[in-house]
Amino acid sequence: STNTDFTLAIEDLTVSFDGFKAVDNLNFYLDRNELHVVIGPNGAGKTTVLDLICGKTKSTSGSIKFLNKELTNLSEHEIVLAGVGRKFQTPSIYENLSVMENLEISYPKGRGVFGSLMFKHDAVVRDKILEVATQIMLEKALHTEAGLLSHGQKQWLEIGMLLIQDPQLLMLDEPVAGMSVKEREQTAELLNKISEGRSVLVIEHDMEFVARIAHKVTVLHQGKILASGDMKDVQKDPKVIEVYLGH
Ligand code: ADP
């Protein structure tokens, strides 16, 4: 491949379930600093694409190169270690632990943090926790039990638990579902900041939010790319209008 400068380069990727191609010969590239939103009707293959990237689903054929490393043969854990973070819709935070403890247990192992859960933090770890807590707007809630946070704050905490691992690619599935207007706005700013220095891939249905955050949009339909580019252009694309409004 000649596309070696991309953070993520997906080429000819296909996955079949009993002969049904949920993702059909997909070619998709993602740059550093790029916030890319994947949209498309239900069943288009959006979740499957994210599942393929994070190794939850194995491809039938094709390649997924991340920082020039082939991911298709790696385990989910190896893909996390390679620098891919994925946030699912349902938060997987520890409700009984504080915000700080949630961030601390998510800090990559092997850097001297383990065993210090309730005790003194390593200065580096503590600085990182504070940096991430500030980024996710929870610096004043470090000692709050995670279960007591608002719905939006819980989502941010989970994003923080991924950020503390310094992923080069962060994938988020409907990050603002169920959020208040204010939380949506704050999440838009958060995602914008997060995309600095890394790549962000988002699945989102709320078009107003997509227009607000996306650097680029890709429309999936029946496992294939229907349109890709600026939101302005994609919205005007007759094929896209037909899929969203036509019958
Ligand atoms: P989207 O996220 O765009 O709504 P999905 O990626 O969840 O779409 O699904 C794409 C298609 O693939 C759907 O028709 C779905 O039923 C099918 N599919 C997804 N995962 C599996 C699976 N593990 N086994 C069989 N079919 C699947």
Side-chain angles (χ1 to χ4, degrees):
S1 165
T2 52
N3 297 303
T4 50
D5 293 336
F6 291 102
T7 300
L8 183 74
I10 294 179
E11 294 185 330
D12 305 327
L13 189 69
T14 296
V15 64
S16 301
F17 300 114
D18 293 325
F20 169 76
K21 288 180 180 172
V23 172
D24 189 358
N25 211 38
L26 183 77
N27 289 279
F28 180 85
Y29 304 92
L30 195 54
D31 264 326
R32 197 169 130 94
N33 300 316
E34 183 178 332
L35 199 169
H36 199 121
V37 184
V38 180
I39 63 173
N42 277 335
K46 305 180 295 295
T47 310
T48 306
V49 170
L50 265 55
D51 288 347
L52 286 163
I53 297 168
C54 76
K56 195 176 167 216
T57 296
K58 289 291 160 199
S59 61
T60 307
S61 60
S63 129
I64 304 172
K65 286 211 181 65
F66 172 68
L67 303 172
N68 290 317
K69 190 181 210 175
E70 181 59 50
L71 296 187
T72 46
N73 299 314
L74 301 185
S75 69
E76 277 187 82
H77 182 61
E78 287 167 329
I79 291 170
V80 170
L81 294 180
V84 177
R86 164 115 183 245
K87 185 198 173 304
F88 292 89
Q89 248 180 290
T90 324
S92 52
I93 57 171
Y94 300 93
E95 303 245 335
N96 299 326
L97 298 183
S98 70
V99 167
M100 181 154 76
E101 288 162 347
N102 269 281
L103 292 173
E104 184 169 6
I105 54 172
S106 306
Y107 193 86
K109 294 176 202 174
R111 287 203 230 164
V113 63
F114 248 56
S116 64
L117 187 56
M118 309 302 283
F119 305 104
K120 192 172 60 179
H121 301 117
D122 182 282
V124 176
V125 180
R126 199 178 57 192
D127 285 354
K128 185 70 189 172
I129 289 174
L130 280 174
E131 180 196 315
V132 169
T134 304
Q135 211 174 359
I136 59 172
M137 302 160 283
L138 291 176
E139 74 276 13
K140 294 203 177 77
L142 274 173
H143 301 290
T144 302
E145 216 176 277
L148 299 175
L149 298 173
S150 74
H151 169 75
Q153 289 174 322
K154 286 181 185 176
Q155 307 290 321
W156 298 339
L157 177 55
E158 200 188 2
I159 292 173
M161 290 165 77
L162 295 168
L163 287 179
I164 207 153
Q165 302 175 49
D166 269 332
Q168 286 307 295
L169 169 62
L170 193 63
M171 303 194 287
L172 306 110
D173 195 341
E174 294 189 52
V176 292
M179 281 191 186
S180 69
V181 173
K182 175 117 195 284
E183 286 172 337
R184 273 162 196 260
E185 258 169 47
Q186 290 171 299
T187 304
E189 278 168 39
L190 173 62
L191 294 184
N192 186 41
K193 277 191 214 129
I194 285 173
S195 69
E196 288 168 15
R198 59 169 70 80
S199 306
V200 179
L201 187 57
V202 178
I203 296 177
E204 185 53 61
H205 290 291
D206 182 330
M207 288 306 153
E208 216 175 297
F209 190 71
V210 175
R212 167 101 197 256
I213 66 164
H215 303 163
K216 272 190 192 165
V217 177
T218 288
V219 187
L220 271 190
H221 180 52
Q222 299 177 342
K224 290 187 164 92
I225 293 178
L226 196 66
S228 190
D230 291 343
M231 182 66 168
K232 285 198 305 292
D233 300 331
V234 165
Q235 270 177 319
K236 283 186 286 197
D237 190 310
K239 295 190 298 292
V240 175
I241 294 168
E242 162 134 25
V243 159
Y244 275 94
L245 303 173
H247 299 284

